Amino acid sequence: MNPEVYVVTDLVTLNGPEIGRTLRIKDGVSFLGRSLDNDIRIEDKTISRKHLKIEKVRGKLFVTDLSSRNGTFSDGKYVIPGHELEVKEGVPL
């Protein structure tokens, strides 16, 4: 039996000032936040300057909240800061 593989290459903003924006996720590590030095920049006051670490490995997407002020939620559940979480395709983040 072959293991399930989910290829995730994009995130789409679902709310906020950049609703509908598609964010391309590159292989390896990317950082998301308001600051100019992030790989993915979102200009939204609810997003921390350095909010989230995103790692794409072999088609799978892993996120780590970087102790952001407002936190990160996946499928409506709080993501514990500093803990890596796999995000499946179609699951809201």
Side-chain angles (χ1 to χ4, degrees), residues 38-55:
N38 288 292
D39 302 295
I40 302 168
R41 184 165 184 247
I42 298 179
E43 293 186 58
D44 183 329
K45 62 184 174 185
T46 65
I47 303 289
S48 294
R49 286 179 290 230
K50 207 51 134 181
H51 194 99
L52 194 64
K53 174 184 156 189
I54 302 171
E55 189 168 8

Side-chain angles (χ1 to χ4, degrees), residues 1-91:
M1 177 184 286
N2 293 335
E4 290 184 64
V5 177
Y6 295 92
V7 179
V8 180
T9 57
D10 297 332
L11 292 176
V12 178
T13 56
L14 298 177
N15 57 40
E18 297 189 32
I19 191 167
R21 178 178 170 206
T22 300
L23 309 165
R24 177 78 41 179
I25 305 300
K26 66 179 184 176
D27 287 335
V29 176
S30 299
F31 290 92
L32 179 145
R34 280 192 343 255
S35 180
L36 291 172
D37 64 343
N38 288 292
D39 302 295
I40 302 168
R41 184 165 184 247
I42 298 179
E43 293 186 58
D44 183 329
K45 62 184 174 185
T46 65
I47 303 289
S48 294
R49 286 179 290 230
K50 207 51 134 181
H51 194 99
L52 194 64
K53 174 184 156 189
I54 302 171
E55 189 168 8
K56 184 177 169 190
V57 181
R58 292 184 293 278
K60 293 185 177 185
L61 194 68
F62 300 90
V63 298
T64 305
D65 181 271
L66 301 173
S67 298
S68 62
R69 172 178 265 179
N70 290 321
T72 299
F73 295 83
S74 176
D75 203 16
K77 297 175 185 146
Y78 181 70
V79 175
I80 299 168
H83 291 262
E84 185 176 78
L85 173 72
E86 182 178 356
V87 178
K88 302 284 188 179
E89 184 174 2
V91 174

